[in-house]
């Protein structure tokens, strides 16, 4: 199996994304009702096909959404490929973004534009937001209404990407997410995205045998895993399903990354972890709400954005 790095944690830190109430106000769930009435069904079918072809397509697409919104806002700037190599994807910390995720979005864009009523009328940013929802819902997670109406950004640079580390503590995580207008509860709920996907061994090997918060049996298991392959599942209990087992893993000292496990070891966030571990419905509800809030970050308008014909290049 191919592998991915963590979904939400690999997002910009130290980059201030301005929250524009006016831009966010343009978003609404029925934005394309008269423009492209079959949009959601088209994206749903395309993503389903992508996920059938690649088991990491869903997690990789979900990860793209987090990366996109956290760096320059939800404007599909992560999709841009500049001829001079100065774009977000070429930042060394983004090189691990999997082709499967990009291809999922590109295929969905082709599917949308194959409908004459929709052609060149739907932004890549909105397609990415819908694909992220599908990646979650098609693996048993919540099916939530996605606010739409984003325009695509025209700028993507390597220097705009500054990534946090897998050993971030609670204060560092909260500082990052508060910069996006998200609370600690939002952050803990979004962390539940780590019920899907995997992480490369270098991101957690330093914890094996040295971090007392890691269960000893889990440490031995990871040592064996990384001796035979280069990755481990973020949620080994149910790696293919979107559920609350991520939080149960944290209770048992089986969080893969230090920045996962700290949510339980730090008393200030432990209560929320415990609550989500015993209340899956509340977790799924809070996750959907947090995704909606994340989707409002840095939204572009017609004044500073466009509807890209090709997600990989500005018009």
């Amino acid at each position: 199996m191919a592998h991915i790095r963590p979904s939400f944690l690999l997002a910009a830190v130290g980059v201030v994304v301005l929250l524009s109430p006016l831009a966010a106000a343009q978003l609404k769930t029925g934005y394309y009702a008269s423009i492209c009435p079959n949009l959601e069904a088209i994206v749903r079918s395309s993503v389903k096909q992508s996920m059938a072809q690649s088991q990491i397509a869903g997690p990789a697409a979900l990860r793209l959404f987090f990366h996109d919104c956290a760096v320059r806002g939800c404007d599909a700037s992560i999709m841009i490929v500049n001829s001079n190599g100065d774009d977000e994807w070429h930042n060394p910390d983004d090189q691990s973004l999997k082709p499967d995720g990009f291809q999922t979005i590109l295929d969905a864009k082709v599917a949308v534009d194959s409908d004459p009523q929709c052609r060149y009328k739907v932004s890549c940013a909105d397609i990415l937001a819908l694909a992220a929802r599908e990646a979650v819902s098609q693996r048993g997670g919540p099916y939530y209404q996605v606010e739409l109406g984003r325009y695509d950004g025209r700028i993507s640079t390597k220097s705009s990407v500054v990534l946090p580390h897998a050993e971030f503590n609670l204060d560092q995580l909260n500082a990052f997410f508060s910069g996006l207008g998200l609370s600690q509860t939002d952050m803990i709920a979004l962390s539940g995205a780590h019920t899907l996907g995997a992480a490369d061994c270098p991101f957690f090997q330093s914890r094996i045998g040295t971090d007392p918060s890691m269960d000893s049996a889990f440490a031995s298991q990871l040592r064996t895993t990384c001796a035979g392959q280069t990755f481990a599942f973020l949620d080994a209990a149910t790696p293919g399903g979107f559920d609350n087992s991520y939080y149960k893993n944290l209770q048992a000292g089986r969080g893969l990354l230090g920045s996962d496990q700290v949510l339980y070891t730090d008393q200030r966030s432990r209560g929320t972890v415990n609550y989500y571990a015993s209340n899956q419905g509340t977790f799924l509800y809070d996750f959907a709400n947090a995704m909606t809030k994340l989707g409002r970050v840095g939204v572009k308008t017609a004044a500073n954005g466009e509807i890209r014909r090709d997600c990989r290049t500005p018009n």
Side-chain angles (χ1 to χ4, degrees):
M1 170 185 167
H3 53 286
I4 63 171
R5 281 163 64 183
S7 297
F8 85 86
L9 286 176
L10 303 183
V13 166
V15 177
V16 177
V17 178
L18 297 179
L19 304 179
S20 172
L22 293 178
Q26 79 188 10
L27 301 180
K28 58 182 180 179
T29 56
Y31 185 86
Y32 292 101
S34 61
I35 303 171
C36 178
N38 296 322
L39 173 61
E40 298 201 28
I42 294 171
V43 173
R44 183 174 308 119
S45 177
S46 179
V47 172
K48 183 177 182 179
Q49 183 175 357
S50 294
M51 291 173 65
Q53 295 171 344
S54 166
Q55 57 185 322
I56 69 168
L62 178 58
R63 184 179 171 218
L64 277 182
F65 180 68
F66 286 121
H67 270 248
D68 185 50
C69 294
V71 177
R72 304 190 70 92
C74 306
D75 66 351
S77 57
I78 190 64
M79 298 294 298
I80 293 176
V81 179
N82 290 326
S83 59
N84 63 1
D86 185 15
D87 52 53
E88 292 172 29
W89 183 78
H90 280 95
N91 182 291
D93 290 327
D94 262 348
Q95 286 286 288
S96 65
L97 286 168
K98 299 304 177 184
D100 309 61
F102 290 101
Q103 196 60 52
T104 297
I105 307 308
L106 294 175
D107 289 347
K109 171 68 168 172
V110 169
V112 170
D113 286 344
S114 68
D115 184 329
Q117 194 171 355
C118 306
R119 188 169 299 141
Y120 306 143
K121 296 178 181 177
V122 180
S123 69
C124 299
D126 278 343
I127 291 174
L128 180 51
L130 286 170
R133 189 268 307 277
E134 293 303 320
V136 170
S137 65
Q138 292 189 31
R139 285 294 179 265
Y143 182 88
Y144 53 92
Q145 294 300 311
V146 178
E147 295 178 340
L148 301 168
R150 301 168 186 81
Y151 280 76
D152 296 321
R154 301 186 180 96
I155 300 171
S156 180
T157 62
K158 286 193 291 187
S159 62
S160 65
V161 181
V162 183
L163 302 178
H165 301 158
E167 67 274 10
F168 264 31
N169 61 34
L170 185 64
D171 290 327
Q172 292 170 307
L173 291 171
N174 278 331
F176 164 56
F177 278 91
S178 65
L180 300 180
L182 300 174
S183 68
Q184 175 173 292
T185 299
D186 293 327
M187 179 269 290
I188 298 172
L190 289 173
S191 299
H194 284 184
T195 188
L196 299 176
D200 294 333
C201 290
F203 288 92
F204 57 83
Q205 277 181 308
S206 63
R207 298 184 62 220
I208 300 176
T210 63
D211 188 340
S213 68
M214 180 180 282
D215 174 71
S216 58
F218 184 53
S220 297
Q221 176 186 327
L222 291 177
R223 189 177 290 110
T224 300
T225 296
C226 289
Q229 59 191 41
T230 61
F231 70 94
F233 289 112
L234 287 160
D235 172 13
T238 58
F242 196 96
D243 54 29
N244 66 339
S245 63
Y246 164 81
Y247 302 101
K248 297 177 182 178
N249 292 338
L250 300 186
Q251 290 177 318
R254 299 174 70 87
L256 191 61
L257 306 175
S259 49
D260 288 326
Q261 193 59 49
V262 73
L263 300 181
Y264 184 76
T265 57
D266 195 308
Q267 294 285 349
R268 295 172 295 172
S269 49
R270 179 179 294 182
T272 305
V273 170
N274 286 337
Y275 194 73
Y276 287 159
S278 58
N279 295 273
Q280 178 163 287
T282 301
F283 156 57
L284 297 179
Y285 179 84
D286 286 357
F287 178 84
N289 282 341
M291 286 288 282
T292 298
K293 291 173 68 174
L294 179 66
R296 297 169 181 164
V297 175
V299 172
K300 304 298 185 293
T301 66
N304 61 353
E306 63 186 14
I307 304 298
R308 264 181 245 149
R309 289 182 171 232
D310 184 338
C311 291
R312 295 167 295 185
T313 182
N315 295 340

